[in-house]
Amino acid sequence: MRATGNLMKRNILIYMRDKGTVFYSILSMLIILGLMILFLGDMNSRDIVRALEQMGGVRDAEADRINADYLIMVWTLAGILVSNTVTVTMTVMGCMINDEENKRLASFYVAPVKRIYVALSYIFSAWIIGIMMCLITLAVFQGYMAVTGQALFAGAVCLQLLGMIILNSFVYASAAYLIALFVHSMSAWSGLLTIIGTLVGFVGAIYLPMAALPEKVADVLKCLPVLHGTAMMRVVCTAEAVENTFAGLPAEAAEVFREEMGITVVMGDGPVSFSVQVVYLLVLGLVIITAAAFISRKRSLYDR
């Protein structure tokens, strides 16, 4: 495993030294932030305040606005974290494509190092950097909250988010390696990364809430891991914010909001539980790694 560690270190250093690569790996995050700041965030916040007014009762309009703004902010953070686990891991996996394009991968394969160790070095590198970039994003968000006087996440919430970041990064680092087995040039990989980076915001119901999507589109998204990963993050990030925003209203009001905003994913007769989503992502990650190992082994046999 020392060979894996050395190759991991190499891959991470290559990624960190390329400032352009680092920038493009977080480009989708910047796009989401820009859209939320300029358009979508204010629109969603106003929709919440308007809905609260229509529910009647004695309301504090200013408190509702502040709570709604904070709720949309943490809701957006959940989407950004999952977006990072997808785009960052794929960007890091570009190191493997670059190695293949420049014939370095062939050199690794003829070296006295098992191919599984070479494969794991790429997956673990992407996994570690994906986790690291998400933690930096979370730290920056917490810093912003502290500066603006907003409530910070409790330690237990941060630990839960860490667990979900680790899980999602594992799934998408594995998926990135599997996809990379079929791509053999950096130009093709860059094009694919651009497409995925653009689509991840829609697939995770980040740009538009679930209620704004056509029913058939929403049904398709419910079968994809990105939406479930985002929903898990949202459950943790928005738990306290939803309670504060919908305080004094029937519990059904908060439940409808969670469903419409993709915090709760409803399939069939009821919501998908948090534990089922965790198991789904974990099993999916293991299936992807198994498939990648099988394809890689078969391809290596053909190479001979």
Side-chain angles (χ1 to χ4, degrees), residues 142-172:
Q142 289 283 75
Y144 175 77
M145 291 293 98
V147 170
T148 56
Q150 299 278 6
L152 301 180
F153 288 145
V157 172
C158 290
L159 286 176
Q160 285 180 292
L161 289 176
L162 173 60
M164 285 180 284
I165 288 170
I166 291 172
L167 176 58
N168 279 274
S169 296
F170 164 70
V171 172
Y172 299 116

Side-chain angles (χ1 to χ4, degrees), residues 182-247:
F182 300 95
V183 181
H184 307 291
S185 71
M186 281 303 298
S187 59
W189 187 255
S190 297
L192 183 62
L193 183 58
T194 300
I195 295 171
I196 292 177
T198 303
L199 288 178
V200 69
F202 293 100
V203 174
I206 299 169
Y207 297 148
L208 293 173
M210 292 294 288
L213 298 173
E215 184 178 352
K216 290 185 178 180
V217 173
D219 289 340
V220 172
L221 296 187
K222 290 175 183 179
C223 299
L224 303 178
V226 176
L227 180 62
H228 290 280
T230 307
M232 290 166 56
M233 294 278 192
R234 287 171 177 164
V235 167
V236 177
C237 286
T238 65
E240 185 175 351
V242 170
E243 287 185 12
N244 293 336
T245 303
F246 290 89

Side-chain angles (χ1 to χ4, degrees), residues 48 51-52 55 59 242 245-261:
I48 295 173
L52 293 172
M55 291 176 188
R59 307 291 307 178
V242 170
T245 303
F246 290 89
L249 295 174
E252 290 77 9
E255 286 303 320
V256 170
F257 172 80
R258 290 189 181 97
E259 182 177 342
E260 291 185 346
M261 295 298 287

Side-chain angles (χ1 to χ4, degrees), residues 60 117 121 128 132 164 176:
D60 184 333
Y117 294 155
S121 72
I128 290 170
M132 181 180 68
M164 285 180 284

Side-chain angles (χ1 to χ4, degrees), residues 1-12 14 92-100 103-127 173-174 176-178 180-181 289 292-293 296-297 299-300 303-304:
M1 292 297 289
R2 178 179 294 182
T4 300
N6 290 334
L7 288 171
M8 282 173 53
K9 181 179 179 180
R10 166 195 175 268
N11 297 338
I12 291 172
I14 289 174
V92 178
M93 196 58 66
C95 180
M96 174 179 166
I97 307 298
N98 190 51
D99 284 342
E100 180 173 0
K103 310 303 180 183
R104 287 189 290 267
L105 190 59
S107 299
F108 293 150
Y109 284 163
V110 298
V113 179
K114 291 184 179 180
R115 294 195 178 202
I116 185 63
Y117 294 155
V118 176
L120 289 177
S121 72
Y122 290 118
I123 295 173
F124 287 167
S125 300
W127 189 10
S174 304
Y177 178 77
L178 177 60
L181 291 174
I289 281 215
S296 181
R297 181 171 176 270
R299 194 172 75 169
S300 70
D303 289 342
R304 294 194 186 111

